[in-house]
């Protein structure tokens, strides 16, 4: 019921505002994924990438840097982010333009999760992730990452 009550507002918000997502990995085969609080509205327990909306005055990379600091408490230079690609993502009957970036961080980095947005963050082995546990944006980012040969076989 919540979905249908919020859907008109979500449609307007997502349709007009591009998103930035960051695939964070440890340089090997582990990726940092998050579970957002808002996904609970949809009874979705899947993993997502950190990131969020890009402000009108921001370039996609600037939005990614800002979102990393807001959601995870991680400050990085925009020069450390590598553009993986961009795609239209379809999820919950909505679609939005998303820019995907890659970032290498050590697993022992201190995270300060934004409690109003992020319920959990966890390093997971990319090879063991199942399709069912990932939302479309994570599947896209992993596919592009693998295509570039970054994921160890």
């Amino acid at each position: 019921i919540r979905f249908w009550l919020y859907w008109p507002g979500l449609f307007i918000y997502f349709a007009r505002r591009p998103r930035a997502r960051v695939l964070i990995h440890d340089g090997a085969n582990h990726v940092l994924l998050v579970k957002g609080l808002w996904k609970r509205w949809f009874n979705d327990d899947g993993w997502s990438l950190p990131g969020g909306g890009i402000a009108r005055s921001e370039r996609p990379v600037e939005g990614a840097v800002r979102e990393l600091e807001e959601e995870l408490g991680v400050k990085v230079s925009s020069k450390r982010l590598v553009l993986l690609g961009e795609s239209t993502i379809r999820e919950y009957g909505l679609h939005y333009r998303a820019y995907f970036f890659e970032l290498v961080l050590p697993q022992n980095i201190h995270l300060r999760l934004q409690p109003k947005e992020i319920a959990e963050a966890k390093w997971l082995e990319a090879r063991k992730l199942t399709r069912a546990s990932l939302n479309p944006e994570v599947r896209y980012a992993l596919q592009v990452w693998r295509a570039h040969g970054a994921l160890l076989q």
Side-chain angles (χ1 to χ4, degrees):
I1 293 176
R2 283 188 206 165
F3 174 79
W4 295 111
L5 293 175
Y6 287 108
W7 195 86
L10 291 171
F11 177 79
I12 292 168
Y13 177 76
F14 279 99
R16 296 176 186 232
R17 194 168 175 201
R19 321 288 291 163
R21 298 289 187 231
V22 184
L23 177 72
I24 301 172
H25 63 90
D26 63 356
N29 192 42
H30 290 85
V31 294
L32 180 67
L33 298 176
V34 298
K35 288 187 179 182
L37 289 177
W38 69 273
K39 290 194 145 238
R40 291 183 179 168
W41 295 349
F42 303 110
N43 292 322
D44 182 348
D45 198 33
W47 292 101
S48 300
L49 296 172
I54 300 169
R56 292 181 198 270
S57 62
E58 289 179 319
R59 293 179 300 131
V61 70
E62 293 167 341
V65 167
R66 179 184 47 77
E67 286 290 338
L68 286 175
E69 186 171 356
E70 288 176 6
E71 291 185 356
L72 303 177
V74 173
K75 292 183 181 185
V76 296
S77 165
S78 62
K79 294 176 183 176
R80 292 192 54 198
L81 287 124
V82 176
L83 181 65
L84 285 174
E86 60 182 277
S87 182
T88 299
I89 301 297
R90 288 169 175 75
E91 186 175 27
Y92 307 117
L94 304 169
H95 66 277
Y96 56 92
R97 193 80 188 148
Y99 296 85
F100 294 89
F101 296 92
E102 174 186 10
L103 175 65
V104 179
L105 289 177
Q107 284 192 38
N108 63 354
I109 189 162
H110 176 69
L111 302 175
R112 287 175 307 164
L113 303 183
Q114 168 53 260
K116 293 181 181 177
E117 291 188 48
I118 305 297
E120 181 180 1
K122 190 172 187 178
W123 288 94
L124 300 167
E125 190 172 347
R127 282 186 245 146
K128 294 183 179 177
L129 295 172
T130 63
R131 184 173 173 83
S133 68
L134 305 173
N135 70 16
E137 64 189 24
V138 180
R139 292 192 301 262
Y140 171 82
L142 287 173
Q143 177 184 4
V144 173
W145 190 42
R146 287 179 177 125
H148 285 109
L151 186 60
L152 299 178
Q153 299 300 327

